[in-house]
Amino acid sequence: LSLFPKNISTRYGLFAVYKFPLDSARTGLIARTSGYSEASSIKFFVFDKTKDSITDYVELADSWGDEDDHYAVTSWLFRDEKKDVQAFIHLETEHDNSIEDKSDNTTIVEHFYFLYNLSAQPMDRTDKDPNELKQKFGHLIKNIH
Protein backbone atom coordinates (compact mmCIF):
# COMPACT_ATOMS: atom_id res chain seq x y z
CA LEU A 1 0.00 0.00 0.00
CA SER A 2 2.84 2.39 0.79
CA LEU A 3 4.05 2.13 -2.83
CA PHE A 4 0.84 3.53 -4.31
CA PRO A 5 0.50 7.25 -5.00
CA LYS A 6 -0.85 9.19 -2.02
CA ASN A 7 -3.70 10.66 -4.11
CA ILE A 8 -5.13 7.17 -4.73
CA SER A 9 -8.00 6.86 -2.28
CA THR A 10 -8.13 3.65 -0.29
CA ARG A 11 -11.41 4.60 1.39
CA TYR A 12 -13.10 1.47 0.01
CA GLY A 13 -9.94 -0.63 -0.19
CA LEU A 14 -7.19 -1.44 -2.66
CA PHE A 15 -7.24 -4.84 -4.34
CA ALA A 16 -4.57 -6.44 -6.52
CA VAL A 17 -6.01 -7.83 -9.75
CA TYR A 18 -3.16 -8.71 -12.12
CA LYS A 19 0.49 -8.02 -12.92
CA PHE A 20 2.62 -8.56 -16.01
CA PRO A 21 6.06 -7.49 -17.25
CA LEU A 22 6.29 -4.38 -19.43
CA ASP A 23 10.03 -4.82 -19.85
CA SER A 24 12.93 -6.04 -17.71
CA ALA A 25 12.77 -3.00 -15.41
CA ARG A 26 9.03 -2.34 -15.17
CA THR A 27 5.93 -4.27 -14.21
CA GLY A 28 2.35 -3.37 -15.12
CA LEU A 29 -0.04 -3.66 -12.18
CA ILE A 30 -3.82 -3.67 -12.41
CA ALA A 31 -5.66 -2.87 -9.19
CA ARG A 32 -9.19 -2.13 -8.08
CA THR A 33 -9.27 1.09 -6.08
CA SER A 34 -11.83 3.37 -4.52
CA GLY A 35 -14.17 4.99 -6.99
CA TYR A 36 -16.89 7.56 -6.43
CA SER A 37 -18.84 5.59 -3.83
CA GLU A 38 -17.30 2.10 -3.71
CA ALA A 39 -14.23 0.12 -4.78
CA SER A 40 -15.22 0.35 -8.44
CA SER A 41 -12.25 1.96 -10.19
CA ILE A 42 -9.78 -0.23 -12.07
CA LYS A 43 -6.41 1.42 -12.61
CA PHE A 44 -3.21 0.49 -14.41
CA PHE A 45 0.02 1.30 -12.54
CA VAL A 46 3.64 1.17 -13.71
CA PHE A 47 5.99 -0.22 -11.06
CA ASP A 48 9.64 0.63 -11.79
CA LYS A 49 11.87 -1.99 -10.16
CA THR A 50 14.99 0.17 -10.31
CA LYS A 51 13.26 3.05 -8.51
CA ASP A 52 11.24 0.69 -6.29
CA SER A 53 8.20 2.86 -6.87
CA ILE A 54 5.12 3.40 -8.95
CA THR A 55 5.94 5.98 -11.57
CA ASP A 56 2.69 6.37 -13.51
CA TYR A 57 -0.96 5.30 -13.63
CA VAL A 58 -4.20 5.71 -15.57
CA GLU A 59 -7.81 4.76 -14.86
CA LEU A 60 -9.03 1.92 -17.07
CA ALA A 61 -12.57 1.35 -15.82
CA ASP A 62 -15.19 2.75 -13.50
CA SER A 63 -18.90 3.39 -13.49
CA TRP A 64 -21.16 5.41 -11.26
CA GLY A 65 -24.41 7.24 -11.46
CA ASP A 66 -27.01 9.09 -9.49
CA GLU A 67 -30.40 10.48 -10.38
CA ASP A 68 -29.10 12.87 -13.03
CA ASP A 69 -25.51 11.94 -13.91
CA HIS A 70 -23.80 8.82 -15.20
CA TYR A 71 -20.08 8.25 -15.83
CA ALA A 72 -18.50 5.14 -17.33
CA VAL A 73 -14.94 4.37 -18.36
CA THR A 74 -14.24 1.19 -20.33
CA SER A 75 -10.86 0.09 -21.68
CA TRP A 76 -9.31 -2.57 -23.84
CA LEU A 77 -5.66 -3.57 -23.45
CA PHE A 78 -3.70 -5.05 -26.31
CA ARG A 79 -0.17 -5.40 -27.62
CA ASP A 80 0.64 -3.59 -30.84
CA GLU A 81 2.92 -4.79 -33.63
CA LYS A 82 5.98 -3.65 -31.59
CA LYS A 83 4.68 -5.64 -28.57
CA ASP A 84 4.00 -2.41 -26.63
CA VAL A 85 0.97 -2.54 -24.33
CA GLN A 86 -1.71 -0.15 -25.55
CA ALA A 87 -4.98 0.90 -23.91
CA PHE A 88 -7.95 2.16 -25.88
CA ILE A 89 -10.14 4.04 -23.37
CA HIS A 90 -13.75 5.07 -23.90
CA LEU A 91 -15.30 7.59 -21.48
CA GLU A 92 -19.03 8.20 -21.59
CA THR A 93 -20.79 10.89 -19.56
CA GLU A 94 -24.53 11.43 -19.35
CA HIS A 95 -26.57 14.20 -17.72
CA ASP A 96 -30.37 14.23 -17.39
CA ASN A 97 -31.51 17.86 -17.56
CA SER A 98 -34.99 17.11 -16.15
CA ILE A 99 -33.64 16.94 -12.59
CA GLU A 100 -32.97 20.69 -12.57
CA ASP A 101 -35.78 21.66 -14.95
CA LYS A 102 -38.85 19.39 -15.07
CA SER A 103 -39.82 20.82 -18.48
CA ASP A 104 -36.47 19.85 -20.02
CA ASN A 105 -36.55 16.13 -20.80
CA THR A 106 -33.29 16.10 -22.75
CA THR A 107 -30.23 14.12 -21.83
CA ILE A 108 -26.72 15.19 -22.76
CA VAL A 109 -24.46 12.27 -23.66
CA GLU A 110 -20.79 12.78 -24.48
CA HIS A 111 -18.17 10.29 -25.63
CA PHE A 112 -14.41 10.70 -25.32
CA TYR A 113 -11.75 8.40 -26.77
CA PHE A 114 -8.11 8.00 -25.76
CA LEU A 115 -5.23 5.76 -26.82
CA TYR A 116 -2.39 5.26 -24.34
CA ASN A 117 0.94 3.57 -24.89
CA LEU A 118 1.33 1.98 -21.47
CA SER A 119 4.81 0.69 -22.36
CA ALA A 120 6.22 4.16 -23.03
CA GLN A 121 8.40 5.85 -20.43
CA PRO A 122 6.56 7.87 -19.23
CA MET A 123 3.17 6.53 -20.29
CA ASP A 124 2.10 8.34 -23.44
CA ARG A 125 -1.38 9.40 -24.52
CA THR A 126 -1.60 9.51 -28.28
CA ASP A 127 -3.58 12.60 -29.20
CA LYS A 128 -5.18 11.20 -32.30
CA ASP A 129 -8.34 12.55 -33.79
CA PRO A 130 -11.23 11.21 -31.64
CA ASN A 131 -13.16 10.36 -34.81
CA GLU A 132 -10.22 8.29 -36.04
CA LEU A 133 -10.10 6.40 -32.73
CA LYS A 134 -13.87 5.86 -32.81
CA GLN A 135 -13.66 4.51 -36.35
CA LYS A 136 -10.76 2.19 -35.54
CA PHE A 137 -12.11 0.88 -32.22
CA GLY A 138 -15.86 1.57 -32.46
CA HIS A 139 -16.69 -2.09 -32.93
CA LEU A 140 -15.51 -2.71 -29.35
CA ILE A 141 -17.83 -0.06 -27.94
CA LYS A 142 -20.85 -1.50 -29.76
CA ASN A 143 -20.28 -4.78 -27.91
CA ILE A 144 -20.66 -3.22 -24.44
CA HIS A 145 -24.09 -1.64 -24.95
Side-chain angles (χ1 to χ4, degrees):
L1 184 61
S2 65
L3 292 174
F4 285 83
K6 300 299 180 229
N7 63 335
I8 298 297
S9 171
T10 58
R11 180 177 178 193
Y12 302 109
L14 179 69
F15 306 91
V17 176
Y18 193 70
K19 72 177 184 174
F20 57 93
L22 290 172
D23 55 39
S24 61
R26 296 174 310 131
T27 300
L29 305 172
I30 297 177
R32 184 165 49 106
T33 68
S34 295
Y36 183 72
S37 62
E38 62 185 340
S40 60
S41 178
I42 305 293
K43 291 181 177 66
F44 173 83
F45 298 90
V46 176
F47 177 73
D48 188 314
K49 298 175 199 174
T50 60
K51 296 178 182 176
D52 194 32
S53 65
I54 291 176
T55 57
D56 215 347
Y57 71 92
V58 65
E59 184 172 59
L60 297 177
D62 199 358
S63 180
W64 62 264
D66 58 20
E67 60 186 19
D68 60 343
D69 290 310
H70 172 75
Y71 166 95
V73 178
T74 307
S75 299
W76 294 263
L77 301 182
F78 61 94
R79 290 198 185 264
D80 66 10
E81 63 280 347
K82 296 185 292 184
K83 303 297 183 204
D84 284 348
V85 178
Q86 304 282 327
F88 169 64
I89 301 173
H90 171 239
L91 165 62
E92 179 180 63
T93 63
E94 186 175 314
H95 178 74
D96 179 356
N97 292 321
S98 68
I99 300 302
E100 293 93 20
D101 179 358
K102 297 294 182 205
S103 65
D104 184 354
N105 61 359
T106 62
T107 300
I108 299 169
V109 179
E110 295 182 286
H111 297 269
F112 303 92
Y113 309 96
F114 308 98
L115 184 63
Y116 279 82
N117 182 343
L118 304 179
S119 293
Q121 295 183 43
M123 217 180 327
D124 182 37
R125 186 176 94 194
T126 305
D127 287 325
K128 289 190 174 186
D129 179 338
N131 291 324
E132 182 182 333
L133 290 174
K134 182 181 179 185
Q135 184 168 353
K136 183 173 183 178
F137 297 106
H139 66 283
L140 298 172
I141 298 166
K142 288 178 185 173
N143 292 331
I144 63 170
H145 293 292

